[in-house]
Amino acid sequence: MTEQDCLFCKIVNGDINADIVFENDSLIAFRDINPKAPTHVLLIPREHIATMNDLEDGHDTLAGELFLTAARIAADEGLADDGYRVVMNCNAAAGQSVFHIHLHLLGGRTMGWPPG
Ligand code: 5GP
Ligand code: ZN
């Protein structure tokens, strides 16, 4: 998968439309096209990073910003008190299907644990 073929790079570039809930210079957050909960937002860096294994020392601020932004969106969506879940799947065994890292923000229903 090259960056040219990457679905989420196409969302970053505006080649594919998405329901964007927040964006800044480093990241974009948009609603999942096939939501697994009443609120299901994906937070992605603008930079193409294929998997969590590809995070490097220079990505520490970016990684933190993904989590901070997820918490702020959760609050905006009214999820902060009841609770919500953030998940990043890495590679096939975890179910990663798009190889541009994304933090799932899920909320609005009760979740089971452990996840499947
Ligand atoms: P993964 O399985 O890689 O952790 O999650 C990929 C997520 O991307 C899935 O929840 C899937 O529904 C979502 N997704 C796949 N294609 C699109 C798309 O074109 N637009 C949006 N908004 N979400 C997508
Ligand atoms: Zn990409």
Side-chain angles (χ1 to χ4, degrees), residues 51-62:
T51 80
M52 195 156 166
N53 294 333
D54 301 300
L55 285 170
E56 298 172 351
D57 287 345
H59 292 131
D60 49 0
T61 300
L62 178 62

Side-chain angles (χ1 to χ4, degrees), residues 62-80:
L62 178 62
E65 200 175 349
L66 287 171
F67 278 88
L68 275 171
T69 306
R72 288 178 183 144
I73 294 171
D76 290 347
E77 297 276 324
L79 302 173

Side-chain angles (χ1 to χ4, degrees), residues 23-106:
E23 60 183 319
N24 65 17
D25 287 347
S26 52
L27 64 84
I28 300 180
F30 54 92
R31 297 194 190 278
D32 196 293
I33 202 168
N34 183 17
K36 313 302 189 297
T39 294
H40 188 173
V41 171
L42 303 174
L43 296 97
I44 69 170
R46 289 185 184 274
E47 177 184 352
H48 179 84
I49 302 168
T51 80
M52 195 156 166
N53 294 333
D54 301 300
L55 285 170
E56 298 172 351
D57 287 345
H59 292 131
D60 49 0
T61 300
L62 178 62
E65 200 175 349
L66 287 171
F67 278 88
L68 275 171
T69 306
R72 288 178 183 144
I73 294 171
D76 290 347
E77 297 276 324
L79 302 173
D81 288 341
D82 283 348
Y84 55 90
R85 184 171 290 171
V86 290
V87 176
M88 186 176 286
N89 298 321
C90 182
N91 273 339
Q96 185 176 3
S97 61
V98 178
F99 288 84
H100 178 133
I101 60 167
H102 45 283
L103 193 63
H104 295 259
L105 166 63
L106 298 140

